[in-house]
Amino acid sequence: MSRLTSRLMSGLASIRWPVMGVLLVVALVLQVTFFPHLAVHGVVPNLCLLVVVAAALVRGPEQAAVLGFAAGLLLDLAPPADHVAGRWALSLVVVGYVAGRVRSDAAARPSVTGVLATVATSSFVGTSIYAITGLLLQDPVVSVADLLPVVLLAVGWDVLLAPLLLPGLMRLFEALEPVRVRT
């Protein structure tokens, strides 16, 4: 029985990265095709950020940073990208690592309040890094005066969608976590 369990868990571990890749692509497609129709002042929820935060809370900072880089790169290159490439990659690497530290610091699964606080903080940090790097690179999508309202709208969107998406994403990432079986 333990050998069968071990094989099953190693099989799940081998599909972990392809599953995460598919989740990112689905999130990206929804983010750039469906949600622009629901945009508030041009701001849409960052579904890729939510996938990265869910992975961070389950998988930890290292894997979430790698996933954040992949998600950011997809966002940087996906049409209608109108900014210097690399800004979202940097933002989501930082988000993945910092949100993953929440998992490392907590002995048990974070509470609902902790998850929402992590999403709000991650959204604020990620969107702020993206916006500030735009100002530094003279590639602003928004003006300095509009910076705070845009960041707060992004945080609002992400916190609003978090209770709908994160529980399922976190369960999926937990299912992909290999269980250590003692032999």
Side-chain angles (χ1 to χ4, degrees):
M1 181 71 172
S2 106
R3 188 175 286 200
L4 177 63
T5 304
S6 176
R7 279 191 187 163
L8 178 62
M9 290 306 146
S10 98
L12 284 176
S14 68
I15 65 166
R16 177 181 334 144
W17 287 105
V19 168
M20 287 194 240
V22 168
L23 283 174
L24 281 180
V25 169
V26 169
L28 177 72
V29 168
L30 287 172
Q31 186 171 327
V32 300
T33 59
F34 175 71
F35 280 100
H37 300 290
L38 304 175
V40 176
H41 299 293
V43 179
V44 298
N46 194 334
L47 299 180
C48 292
L49 180 135
L50 293 176
V51 171
V52 171
V53 170
L57 292 172
V58 174
R59 310 289 310 162
E62 293 84 10
Q63 289 186 24
V66 172
L67 189 64
F69 178 74
L73 199 55
L74 286 173
L75 279 171
D76 284 329
L77 300 177
D82 59 350
H83 59 274
V84 175
R87 290 172 52 201
W88 274 121
L90 172 65
S91 300
L92 293 183
V93 164
V94 172
V95 163
Y97 184 76
V98 172
R101 296 299 300 165
V102 170
R103 176 197 182 260
S104 298
D105 294 341
R109 185 175 183 173
S111 66
V112 172
T113 314
V115 169
L116 290 176
T118 302
V119 168
T121 303
S122 297
S123 180
F124 182 82
V125 168
T127 308
S128 296
I129 290 172
Y130 175 78
I132 290 169
T133 56
L135 292 173
L136 292 173
L137 295 171
Q138 298 176 352
D139 183 27
V141 176
V142 296
S143 67
V144 175
D146 293 333
L147 190 64
L148 186 59
V150 166
V151 170
L152 293 178
L153 272 172
V155 170
W157 261 121
D158 294 340
V159 170
L160 181 69
L161 287 180
L164 301 173
L165 299 176
L166 258 57
L169 288 170
M170 289 175 70
R171 276 195 294 276
L172 177 62
F173 288 134
E174 286 169 351
L176 295 173
E177 177 80 24
V179 177
R180 305 226 188 268
V181 178
R182 292 186 177 174
T183 54

